[in-house]
Amino acid sequence: MLEPIKKLTIAQKRWIKITSSMTFRELSFLIQRYHMNFNLVEISQQANLTLERTRQIEQIALKKITLFSHI
C-alpha cells in the first residue's frame, strides 16, 4: 500500500510546503484577502493591528509563496 504523501501531485506537495512555511496569521490573512475578498482595513480591524502591520504580514506571506513556488 502506498503512503498518502506519495499519492499527492507535485502541485499539491508544493502547496503543502508553501502553507507549512507560513504562520497561522499569515495564512489567515491570505484566505481573508483573496478568498473572502476582505480589504486590508477590514483585516486590520479584525486582527486589532495597524493597517501598515497588516500590509507587512500580507507581503511576508506573498513572498513565501513566491520563494517556495520555485522549489
Side-chain angles (χ1 to χ4, degrees):
M1 186 167 129
L2 293 174
E3 295 177 31
I5 196 75
K6 291 184 180 179
K7 294 181 181 179
L8 298 176
T9 66
I10 293 171
Q12 290 169 325
K13 290 177 184 177
R14 186 174 291 140
W15 186 245
I16 289 170
K17 284 183 181 181
I18 291 168
T19 55
S20 65
S21 74
M22 293 183 190
T23 65
F24 178 80
R25 180 177 273 176
E26 291 166 350
L27 191 54
S28 174
F29 283 14
L30 290 182
I31 290 169
Q32 290 176 59
R33 183 91 159 114
Y34 297 101
H35 180 68
M36 300 170 71
N37 297 317
F38 287 13
N39 61 41
L40 287 176
V41 173
E42 293 169 323
I43 297 169
S44 66
Q45 289 172 345
Q46 184 182 25
N48 199 26
L49 296 171
T50 65
L51 182 59
E52 177 60 19
R53 182 62 186 143
T54 303
R55 187 196 63 74
Q56 289 170 355
I57 292 169
E58 179 191 31
Q59 289 304 308
I60 291 167
L62 291 172
K63 188 180 233 181
K64 287 180 181 180
I65 291 174
T66 304
L67 291 173
F68 281 98
S69 65
H70 299 292
I71 293 176

